[in-house]
């Protein structure tokens, strides 16, 4: 797959507000937050979309969720709760083709999300 902006963030070629990093994943604040708390958890392995997740990637995708919950706890939003979203392709609203778990929190979040947009 072609390199995305997230590869540049992993390689520290462009800055990001990093919340967690190890050899498998990176978590950083979203540059355009859609909730009081909005960060992304990405695998360091570039996987383009949810459709491209292979059996060998199952562990890191599960680990992304554990890291999301750990960071949410550190930020004090785990108890009230949060939403995790992974958009896939055009109809899912994906814009960066390196899978990422959105973690949104800090206020009650409407559901389904598109109903709120329809009211705007
Ligand atoms: P998608 O639309 O693909 O599900 O989400 C991509 C997300 O990446 C968006 O929420 C967008 O704000 C975020 N994003 C795009 N470019 C950057 C960047 O350079 N830095 C950071 N921190 N977030 C980015």
């Amino acid at each position: 797959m072609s390199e995305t902006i997230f590869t540049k963030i992993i390689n520290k070629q462009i800055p990001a507000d990093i919340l967690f990093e190890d050899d498998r994943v990176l978590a950083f604040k979203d540059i355009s937050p859609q909730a009081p708390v909005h960060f992304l958890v990405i695998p360091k392995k570039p996987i383009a979309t949810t459709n491209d997740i292979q059996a060998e990637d199952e562990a890191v995708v599960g680990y992304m969720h554990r890291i999301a919950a750990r960071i949410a706890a550190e930020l004090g939003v785990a108890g009230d709760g949060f939403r995790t979203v992974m958009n896939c392709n055009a109809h899912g609203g994906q814009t960066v083709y390196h899978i990422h778990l959105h973690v949104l929190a800090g206020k009650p979040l409407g559901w389904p999300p598109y109903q709120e947009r329809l009211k705007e």
Side-chain angles (χ1 to χ4, degrees), residues 9 24 28 34 43 54 56-58 66 76-77 92 96 104 106:
I9 290 175
R24 287 190 285 170
F28 51 94
Q34 302 300 310
Q54 305 298 313
E56 68 201 37
D57 304 320
E58 288 174 4
R66 285 188 57 227
V77 296
V96 179
L104 300 134

Side-chain angles (χ1 to χ4, degrees), residues 5-6 9 14-16 28-32 38 40 87 93-96 100 102:
I5 194 115
F6 289 173
I9 290 175
I14 63 167
F28 51 94
K29 291 184 182 176
D30 195 290
I31 203 167
S32 177
H38 186 180
L40 306 172
N87 295 323
Q94 185 172 7
T95 58
V96 179
H100 45 283
H102 292 264

Side-chain angles (χ1 to χ4, degrees), residues 1 43 46-55 57-58 61 64-65 85-89 92 94 96-102:
M1 61 179 267
I47 302 165
T49 79
T50 304
N51 292 331
D52 301 300
I53 295 170
Q54 305 298 313
D57 304 320
E58 288 174 4
V61 173
M64 288 163 63
H65 286 78
V85 175
M86 189 177 287
N87 295 323
C88 181
N89 279 339
Q94 185 172 7
V96 179
Y97 283 79
H98 179 135
I99 62 166
H100 45 283
L101 198 60
H102 292 264

Side-chain angles (χ1 to χ4, degrees), residues 2-81:
S2 58
E3 191 174 276
T4 71
I5 194 115
F6 289 173
T7 299
K8 290 188 169 68
I9 290 175
I10 290 167
N11 293 334
K12 310 288 167 28
Q13 293 166 302
I14 63 167
D17 196 341
I18 292 173
L19 299 169
F20 178 85
E21 178 172 19
D22 67 8
D23 58 332
R24 287 190 285 170
V25 301
L26 184 69
F28 51 94
K29 291 184 182 176
D30 195 290
I31 203 167
S32 177
Q34 302 300 310
V37 172
H38 186 180
F39 62 91
L40 306 172
V41 184
I42 69 172
K44 287 200 167 170
K45 175 182 176 180
I47 302 165
T49 79
T50 304
N51 292 331
D52 301 300
I53 295 170
Q54 305 298 313
E56 68 201 37
D57 304 320
E58 288 174 4
V60 77
V61 173
Y63 184 57
M64 288 163 63
H65 286 78
R66 285 188 57 227
I67 293 302
R70 188 192 300 176
I71 296 169
E74 287 169 3
L75 297 177
V77 296
D80 283 338

